[in-house]
Amino acid sequence: MEALRALEVMGLSCRYPDSDWILKDLSFYVKAGEALAIVGPSGSGKTTLAHCISGIIPNRISAELRGSIKVDGEDISGSSIRERMDSIGIVLQNYELQIFGLTVEEDLEISLRGDRGNIEWVLEFFGLEKYRDYYTHELSGGLKHKLVIASMMLSDPKYVVMDDPLANLDWNGRRIIAKTIELLKRDGKGIVVLTRKLRGLEDVIDRVIHLRQSYESDGMMREAKIPRMCNGHYEPIIEFRGVYFKYNKDRDYVLKDITLSIRKGEVFAIMGPNGSGKTTLMKHINGLLKPSRGSVIVKGIDTRRVSSASMSKLVGMVFQDPERYFVSETVWDEAAFGARNLGLGEGNVTEALRMLGLLDRKDDSPSSLSMGEKIRLYAASVLAMNPEVIVFDEPTTGQDEETLRQIREVIERLSNSGKTVVIVTHDSDFTLSVADRLAVLKDGTVYAEGDPLKLLSDDRLVEEAGIEPLSVEVRANVS
């Protein structure tokens, strides 16, 4: 009798040393040509499951593992990562670990199996043609994510596991992921999508399993924020004055004639498609990048004339990929690290961890946290330094609805206490719930600026700018 063509997980349980079970007696299957979504909140074990299926656990990460994993009837539970690669392709949540080439084209060549013409096809499909000769470190987070997914497709596995594939992608990027899943299904691949929410993928997912009871509720972002009235006494704290920027002389400008004014105490959101210059603009606020032309003024200081280290007392940055910046062995020490280095002591650490829901994890290792918890820890380390300006780069990535509520409360508290908060995000619902003003970037320019509700309710603007439309639920409640 012919074995079922499927990826089967049976009775899977997993726990890390000295911890409770992360996964317990989990069973499911995905057939060839089918897409299965496994939905769960931050910390529910989605990434752990991806690591178990791909063999990262236990081959690279030590953990106790029970149960079995089969591919087309063959038990692969005891096989190595390399032995699984022909059968199972994975797109990690921390996708930058899967970029190996110096340039975009070189990275694709490493994964290629078959006709080289496939490279041209994926470059066009994922909108990467203009970046083929770029060094991979020059790409934005969203473009790097697309590159990893493109490379996975070129490797031609039987089954594909995508861990949080929508993270850091703009609305057009989500459409591309949906098309990718549809193409993989037509090609007879089985796909497992591990995600916090399905928005944008509903039409291509065949079945859904909830890994753990979610915190979803009707309380999430059902009303637009009422913008503050800024009648003169809210002076600008950040000013972009005709800013142009390019990473090197052989490239085009990434930012072009950016002129923006951000007021003290307001929440200012920045949206735009991948590659529009959002993160580049953000890095100008604390002087990590200096304008090629023009100037950035923060609280009267021209960032071109001071070091980024001196700006860190004034501007706190919460970047994507928090793991890259962790240096301590415990959550407490990580949260206190920056404050200690600035000679500020640890007076704010307890409150920062409490605000971000991590005080009960203070003695744990940062590596034991979920991605959502790691982002919160990074934010706590910045809050502990008590800067006047706090910049969040994609704070909603990997977060469940309860954590999003906590982050909104933190942002509101910061703003009410006089802090200025700048948020770079793809999440339109979140923007509407927290922001006083919004700037939309496109191709390195300010495409639109103004009231978030007015801009995000403009269907033509949203489509032309390539940003995520408001959800049906939020639109119904603000119309």
Side-chain angles (χ1 to χ4, degrees):
M1 183 177 177
E2 185 177 353
L4 174 67
R5 288 192 60 218
L7 170 64
E8 300 174 87
V9 173
M10 292 175 286
L12 185 68
S13 297
C14 180
R15 66 177 174 185
Y16 300 108
D18 303 317
S19 78
D20 295 330
W21 292 100
I22 305 296
L23 302 173
K24 193 170 183 180
D25 198 25
L26 182 64
S27 297
F28 65 89
Y29 68 91
V30 58
K31 296 184 290 186
E34 179 184 46
L36 170 71
I38 299 180
V39 179
S42 173
S44 61
K46 299 187 299 294
T47 295
T48 296
L49 176 58
H51 288 172
C52 291
I53 295 172
S54 65
I56 294 173
I57 292 176
N59 292 293
R60 291 289 181 271
I61 298 176
S62 178
E64 182 180 350
L65 201 59
R66 299 177 183 175
S68 65
I69 300 170
K70 293 183 178 181
V71 172
D72 297 344
E74 179 183 353
D75 194 332
I76 63 167
S77 303
S79 61
S80 67
I81 296 174
R82 181 173 294 276
E83 289 169 336
R84 300 187 196 201
M85 288 176 62
D86 287 340
S87 301
I88 300 174
I90 185 169
V91 178
L92 295 172
Q93 185 180 54
N94 191 1
Y95 48 83
E96 292 202 35
L97 295 174
Q98 294 179 271
I99 296 176
F100 304 108
L102 191 61
T103 67
V104 168
E105 187 168 13
E106 181 179 292
D107 192 76
L108 294 173
E109 287 173 343
I110 291 172
S111 300
L112 178 64
R113 294 185 184 180
D115 191 341
R116 181 175 171 78
N118 290 333
I119 290 181
E120 303 303 320
W121 180 84
V122 297
L123 284 169
E124 179 180 359
F125 182 79
F126 287 97
L128 295 170
E129 307 104 307
K130 66 181 278 189
Y131 303 103
R132 69 186 307 150
D133 296 323
Y134 276 52
Y135 292 115
T136 52
H137 73 264
E138 295 179 305
L139 301 181
S140 69
L143 292 174
K144 288 177 181 176
H145 205 167
K146 288 182 181 180
L147 174 60
V148 170
I149 295 170
S151 296
M152 177 277 300
M153 289 190 71
L154 290 176
S155 68
D156 196 31
K158 294 180 180 178
Y159 298 93
V160 175
V161 178
M162 295 183 173
D163 188 9
D164 205 6
L166 303 180
N168 301 322
L169 292 182
D170 56 23
W171 187 246
N172 185 55
R174 292 189 181 204
R175 290 173 173 171
I176 291 174
I177 296 302
K179 291 178 182 177
T180 299
I181 292 172
E182 189 62 42
L183 285 172
L184 290 169
K185 287 166 60 178
R186 289 179 192 171
D187 199 32
K189 315 294 186 187
I191 306 104
V192 178
V193 177
L194 301 155
T195 184
R196 175 174 60 87
K197 58 182 181 180
L198 280 174
R199 192 168 177 219
L201 302 182
E202 298 93 338
D203 293 341
V204 297
I205 297 297
D206 300 297
R207 291 186 294 120
V208 178
I209 293 175
H210 290 273
L211 193 57
R212 189 181 296 172
Q213 183 63 43
S214 174
Y215 292 105
E216 292 177 10
S217 72
D218 289 337
M220 193 235 177
M221 301 181 287
R222 292 305 179 240
E223 296 182 12
K225 182 177 180 179
I226 300 174
R228 289 176 181 76
M229 298 300 292
C230 296
N231 298 319
H233 63 283
Y234 283 96
E235 70 276 14
I237 191 171
I238 302 167
E239 294 180 89
F240 285 78
R241 300 175 179 175
V243 170
Y244 288 77
F245 178 80
K246 61 170 64 177
Y247 282 96
N248 64 61
K249 63 182 180 180
D250 298 322
R251 301 291 188 209
D252 295 333
Y253 282 105
V254 179
L255 299 179
K256 308 164 192 173
D257 197 21
I258 299 290
T259 298
L260 286 172
S261 179
I262 301 174
R263 305 177 187 119
K264 179 177 174 58
E266 77 174 341
V267 180
F268 192 91
I270 300 169
M271 298 185 70
N274 294 133
S276 62
K278 301 185 301 298
T279 298
T280 299
L281 184 146
M282 179 193 71
K283 290 180 179 178
H284 277 74
I285 296 176
N286 77 333
L288 279 174
L289 297 176
K290 313 291 185 182
S292 303
R293 291 162 49 190
S295 61
V296 179
I297 310 298
V298 180
K299 203 180 179 183
I301 300 171
D302 189 330
T303 61
R304 295 172 300 178
R305 308 188 190 285
V306 296
S307 68
S308 59
S310 65
M311 290 296 296
S312 64
K313 294 182 180 180
L314 179 61
V315 181
M317 310 288 282
V318 182
F319 289 114
Q320 299 175 19
D321 309 317
E323 291 174 300
R324 179 184 296 181
Y325 306 97
F326 288 164
V327 295
S328 303
E329 293 185 1
T330 69
V331 166
W332 176 271
D333 287 337
E334 188 61 44
F337 182 81
R340 289 171 181 163
N341 283 350
L342 293 177
L344 302 176
E346 301 178 8
N348 295 322
V349 178
T350 298
E351 180 59 22
L353 288 173
R354 181 180 290 113
M355 287 175 70
L356 275 300
L358 291 172
L359 190 58
D360 63 340
R361 303 292 302 273
K362 65 185 178 67
D363 296 322
D364 295 344
S365 168
S367 64
S368 70
L369 304 181
S370 71
M371 182 59 75
E373 290 167 332
K374 288 172 182 173
I375 293 171
R376 280 185 273 156
L377 173 56
Y378 193 1
S381 70
V382 171
L383 295 181
M385 293 187 284
N386 198 30
E388 292 194 40
V389 178
I390 300 173
V391 184
F392 289 90
D393 190 12
E394 296 289 357
T396 65
T397 298
Q399 305 294 8
D400 57 59
E401 309 305 351
E402 173 62 18
T403 304
L404 288 175
R405 183 189 62 77
Q406 293 172 12
I407 292 173
R408 287 197 304 278
E409 289 181 355
V410 168
I411 289 171
E412 185 174 352
R413 278 197 206 179
L414 292 170
S415 182
N416 289 340
S417 68
K419 307 290 186 187
T420 302
V421 181
V422 180
I423 302 167
V424 175
T425 183
H426 289 300
D427 193 324
S428 293
D429 288 358
F430 185 80
T431 295
L432 191 61
S433 73
V434 298
D436 298 303
R437 287 194 298 136
L438 165 66
V440 178
L441 301 190
K442 183 180 181 183
D443 298 326
T445 65
V446 178
Y447 186 75
E449 180 191 356
D451 173 54
L453 179 57
K454 182 178 179 180
L455 297 183
L456 294 172
S457 299
D458 186 333
D459 293 338
R460 181 175 177 181
L461 184 151
V462 167
E463 180 67 25
E464 291 178 351
I467 60 177
E468 178 186 74
L470 293 171
S471 67
V472 173
E473 297 89 346
V474 169
R475 184 181 288 271
N477 279 274
V478 298
S479 60

